[in-house]
Each structure stands twice: as structure tokens, then as C-alpha cells.
Amino acid sequence: MSDLKTAEQFYQASLENLNKAKELHEATDATSRKTVALFSCFIDETKSISGDVELAARSNLKEIQSRDVLAVINSIVAMTLDMPKPFLAHCCAGSAIKSFDIYVWNPNDKDSEDARLEGHLILDKPSVLEDALSLESQLAEFIIEVKDNAEVTA
């Protein structure tokens, strides 16, 4: 009977140690991800950090920037759903050339068939995040202006 108790105690101690090891591994993994993110913020093209860390940091930075750009594009598309009448917004994504385009026009305006707002983003361009933020700002200002004009005329 004492052998069984010893085995159970050993088993329980092993489970506790396994859980502690898992927690330590998760904490180490989280610290590693934070370190890579930190390095990616400070990488300069002219300075070299040791091999794998630099590659991981650059890759992480590109992923973060890509997510930021996609978040801004998502915001732009969401704003088009709030487009005041009678304006129409047309968003277009080009997978072959990695682009995003938006056109806003008034279909009731017979004098002008030109878009009132036009935006083009090339996703491979280094300045795509700044361009996307600028386009988002232009669209927000356009929507605010149109809504203000509608309130004034109403």
C-alpha cells in the first residue's frame, strides 16, 4: 500500500512540475515575442544585428505594418457603409498588383461624371501606411462635409 501512495505522490509531483514547466515555457515564449517586436522597432537598414534575430525582427515588423495597412483599409471600407445618400462608393482590390482603389461619386450629378473622391493604394509601396491613413482622413473629411451640407440644406 505504501508503494501505491509513493507512486501517487510521485505522479502528483510530476504533474505539478509539468505545469510549472509549461508556464515557464509560455512566459519565455511571450518574452521572446516581445523582444522581437522591440528589435523590429529599432532596426536600421545600415546596422546589422546578429542573423536570426534580425530576420525575425524584420519579418515581424513587416507583418505588423501589413496588419496596420489592412486595418486602415478595413476602416475605409466600413466608412463607405456610412456614405450619405445620394453618394456611391466603389471599393476595388487588385490581387495581381496588390492594390486597393476607392471611387466616390454622385450618380445624380449630371454635370460631372468624375469621381468626387478617388484613392489608389499600392500595397507594395513603402509609404502605403501613410498613404492609407491619408486616404482614410480624406474620406472622413468628405463624409463630414457632405453630412454638414445636408444638414444645412435640410
Side-chain angles (χ1 to χ4, degrees), residues 15-33:
L15 283 179
E16 289 174 16
N17 287 335
L18 179 62
N19 287 334
K20 287 179 184 176
K22 283 181 181 178
E23 289 173 8
L24 181 62
H25 173 70
E26 289 171 359
T28 304
D29 202 27
T31 301
S32 175
R33 285 192 302 271

Side-chain angles (χ1 to χ4, degrees), residues 15 17-18 36 38 44 52 63 65-66 81 89 93 106 120 148:
L15 283 179
N17 287 335
L18 179 62
V36 169
L38 180 65
D44 179 9
D52 292 339
E63 288 175 21
Q65 288 172 338
S66 177
L81 298 176
N106 183 347
H120 309 284
D148 286 348

Side-chain angles (χ1 to χ4, degrees), residues 43-57:
I43 287 188
D44 179 9
E45 294 289 331
T46 60
K47 297 179 184 173
S48 179
I49 304 173
S50 66
D52 292 339
V53 174
E54 183 178 6
L55 289 175

Side-chain angles (χ1 to χ4, degrees), residues 104-149:
V104 178
W105 72 96
N106 183 347
N108 297 335
D109 188 0
K110 305 296 182 201
D111 296 331
S112 176
E113 294 181 9
D114 294 335
R116 293 278 305 272
L117 177 69
E118 220 175 291
H120 309 284
L121 300 175
I122 303 297
L123 303 180
D124 288 341
K125 209 169 147 184
S127 64
V128 68
L129 182 58
E130 292 83 13
D131 296 345
L133 290 169
S134 173
L135 180 57
E136 180 186 37
S137 177
Q138 290 172 20
L139 182 60
E141 289 172 8
F142 177 80
I143 291 172
I144 291 169
E145 178 185 329
V146 169
K147 284 184 175 184
D148 286 348
N149 290 343

Side-chain angles (χ1 to χ4, degrees), residues 59-77:
S59 173
N60 191 34
L61 180 61
K62 287 178 184 175
E63 288 175 21
I64 291 169
Q65 288 172 338
S66 177
R67 277 189 226 128
D68 289 345
V69 169
L70 293 177
V72 173
I73 290 173
N74 186 42
S75 173
I76 291 170
V77 171

Side-chain angles (χ1 to χ4, degrees), residues 6-20:
T6 306
E8 286 178 5
Q9 289 172 345
F10 179 75
Y11 176 72
Q12 290 300 324
S14 296
L15 283 179
E16 289 174 16
N17 287 335
L18 179 62
N19 287 334
K20 287 179 184 176

